[in-house]
Amino acid sequence: MAKLTLGAEKFFVFAHNTSSGRLVFAKSNSSKRQKFHLYPSEGCSRLRVSCSIKEKANVKEETDKFDEVLTGLRVDEPGSVAGFDSESGQVRGTEEVGRASYWPPWKNIPQRYKLIGTTSLAFVICNMDKVNLSVAIIPMSHRFGWNSSVAGLVQSSFFWGYALSQLPGGWLAKIFGGRKVLQTGVLIWSLATALLPLLAGFMPGLVLSRVLVGIGEGVSPSAATDLIARSIPLEERSRAVSFVFGGLSFGSVAGLLLAPPIIENLGWESVFYIFGLLGIAWFSGFKILQEGETSNGATLAPRSNFINVKKSLSASLEEMGESLKDVPWKAIFQSKAVWAMIYAHFCGSWGHYTCLSWLPTYFSEELSLNLTEAAWVSILPPLASVLVTSIAAQFADNLIATGVETTMVRKICQTIAFLSPAVCMILSSMDLGLPHWEIVGILTAGLALSSFALSGLYCTHQDISPEYASILLGITNTVGAVPGIVGVALTGYLLDSTHSWSMSLFAPSIFFYLTGTIVWLAFASSKPQNFSTRD
């Protein structure tokens, strides 16, 4: 058995066998050529060393062949050896060998997993920056003397940018790629969040900062969808989508948990500074990840895409224009099922956005909870929604598997999603003498059951037209963002006018939930529709 050591004084030449993946070292100054092979070991860690190998003196000269496999060595990149030193007889270079360092801990994680992890983290920060104002609005209103109408205007300004950027976000992602659009979106909303305290005393500047936050967050869903489509294989895509967009629910919970203690200990301004810096730090980390991929030769698009930016942009704009012309808009808007989806999305968003913005204030003022208690109670609906979502999905799939018509399943699920919060809001608005914890429990149950919409309305886009599902979702999403603008501001105005939470917060939501149920049961359908033929 030959004994080999690292760091020897002389060695010879080597060649890489591309077909077998072996690295062959051969002795050149011996009459009888000796060689051994290095096979990449999948189980070993990596360590970069600069070394040479020599044969010990106790190896017999007459050995005809040495063909040992060294499982402790790993050579990752052919051609990475610096060169052969003819004077010393050494081959020197940098190779990945032996038992490697585990630092940084994410070093050996596949790039696509890093990408999905960082994108999900962006969505966590996204909703943290969305809900922070719903908590901070309480001390801000006290400081600046805002009434409920002004507070509603400030909160609704986010949705102005959010609604306007839905469709442009998809176009930009198609032209420039989801990665660049996501990076830019995070940077825009993070800078706008960090600057908000400086603009809080100047109403136009404050509104503009929240509009920018809405624009930055509005392009993110389309950007993430494009990023996943480009970089994640089909068999992993469903899990990737769930993991990325699951960051939104986690962000809501994290924002509502962290904002109150930060505000109470450091002041309301600090929550915007801290959350904004988190987004800027994410932007820097994502840039580092991108540079690491580039250095490793990993790219999401062929190099030819970047040869001529002007041509690429022009071609993409032309292609986008042609694709928009090809969409059968007339046939889509002639469909009763599409209008049922549009109205249902509007109704569901009214209840969701108004409660998201005003529940912390409602719990604080109407139920006499302090800031921390109000915020912590407000996380109960999104937490319960996580459980309800999994139950609803299994419920719907089981019904379809047993032969129940898909349209009927969608109608059942969406009816539960509308009637449950409507009934719970009716109970909460009535003077039944219920203790506070029961009112919180009723509202939590109703809003959590509204998550049945994910197995109702939100599946219907794919049901009726897989070809135009993204177009349909863009249409309903744009209309669904309008309640964030109108509903949140109107709630504040009605609260100033009526001084009643039942009339300002609950009554409009109940109206839209009930009328949405009627329209959905009458006109909704999951039967596939060929819009191209009809047009």
Side-chain angles (χ1 to χ4, degrees), residues 127-171:
N127 260 26
M128 289 176 67
D129 286 333
K130 183 186 294 183
V131 304
N132 57 6
L133 185 62
S134 64
V135 179
I137 197 69
I138 300 173
M140 290 175 70
S141 298
H142 294 160
R143 173 171 176 177
F144 296 106
W146 296 338
N147 57 24
S148 297
S149 297
V150 176
L153 174 66
V154 172
Q155 293 196 82
S156 69
S157 59
F158 166 88
F159 295 98
W160 302 353
Y162 191 79
L164 292 173
S165 60
Q166 288 291 313
L167 290 176
W171 299 337

Side-chain angles (χ1 to χ4, degrees), residues 51 65 73 77 108 112 119 170 284 305 321 346 391 416 455 524:
C51 67
K65 190 175 182 180
L73 279 76
E77 292 290 335
N108 294 323
R112 66 184 185 278
T119 305
S284 302
N305 288 350
F346 179 91
I391 295 175
I416 295 173
S455 298

Side-chain angles (χ1 to χ4, degrees), residues 232-266:
I232 304 301
L234 180 62
E235 61 272 14
E236 297 179 4
R237 202 164 291 166
S238 297
R239 285 169 288 171
V241 170
S242 299
F243 186 75
V244 167
F245 286 89
L248 293 173
S249 297
F250 188 82
S252 297
V253 174
L256 292 171
L257 281 176
L258 295 175
I262 291 175
I263 292 173
E264 290 184 343
N265 291 289
L266 302 175

Side-chain angles (χ1 to χ4, degrees), residues 208-220:
L208 177 60
S209 68
R210 289 302 290 178
V211 170
L212 289 175
V213 173
I215 290 174
E217 296 194 7
V219 302
S220 300

Side-chain angles (χ1 to χ4, degrees), residues 332 338 341 461 464-465 468-477 531:
I332 287 175
V338 171
M341 291 161 56
H461 305 80
I464 67 174
S465 179
Y468 296 108
S470 59
I471 298 295
L472 294 173
L473 184 59
I475 294 171
T476 62
N477 253 340
F531 295 116

